[in-house]
Amino acid sequence: MGLINNFMDKFKNAEFTVAPQKKLKTISADFKKAFNLSLVFYKGVQIADGNLTLAALNKKTSKDVKTNAAGIKIKASMKVGEAEKLFDEAFGVTVQIKDFAGSKLVPNGITIGQAARGEY
């Protein structure tokens, strides 16, 4: 069943787009809606305030957040580690993908679709 699910992830409509002017809590809520997983933003080593936008986060961290970057698209067929790296490359922001409850980190080597189905 896992092989079929992985194949189907490539054709799923679930796609997640990030625009830099959105609040972090809105981006996280949209991610949860699309993939049934939690997306956590960090300011240094602390979890960032969800009421901040990426632009506001830039003023509160020593890392340069790229607020003028174009949006990114994430699909269920992407590996968790690739998606997290995409946030860093596009926006210069650290994120972690966690389970729906936000209590456990999802392994980087599985796809977002597998993580959404709890296949880890």
Side-chain angles (χ1 to χ4, degrees):
M1 195 69 157
L3 188 59
I4 293 170
N5 286 335
N6 291 345
F7 181 73
M8 294 304 290
D9 284 344
K10 294 180 190 289
F11 300 102
K12 273 191 178 167
N13 289 337
E15 185 175 86
F16 176 71
T17 305
V18 178
Q21 67 274 16
K22 285 185 177 179
K23 286 187 176 183
L24 301 181
K25 68 181 178 183
T26 303
I27 296 169
S28 294
D30 291 347
F31 189 84
K32 189 173 266 192
K33 212 178 293 178
F35 300 116
N36 214 28
L37 295 167
S38 298
L39 180 67
V40 181
F41 287 86
Y42 287 86
K43 178 185 73 171
V45 294
Q46 295 181 338
I47 294 175
D49 178 1
N51 288 316
L52 296 174
T53 62
L54 286 171
L57 182 61
N58 190 35
K59 296 176 184 142
K60 301 213 178 244
T61 184
S62 61
K63 196 172 181 183
D64 187 28
V65 177
K66 302 169 194 150
T67 56
N68 60 350
I72 60 173
K73 286 186 181 180
I74 296 175
K75 296 184 142 254
S77 58
M78 291 179 78
K79 292 203 182 269
V80 169
E82 292 171 352
E84 291 173 351
K85 186 176 178 184
L86 194 57
F87 272 94
D88 189 34
E89 290 172 349
F91 299 115
V93 65
T94 301
V95 299
Q96 289 283 296
I97 296 175
K98 296 186 174 188
D99 64 353
F100 181 82
S103 59
K104 292 191 302 187
L105 288 174
V106 174
N108 287 342
I110 65 171
T111 67
I112 292 172
Q114 289 171 316
R117 292 187 296 277
E119 296 176 7
Y120 60 97

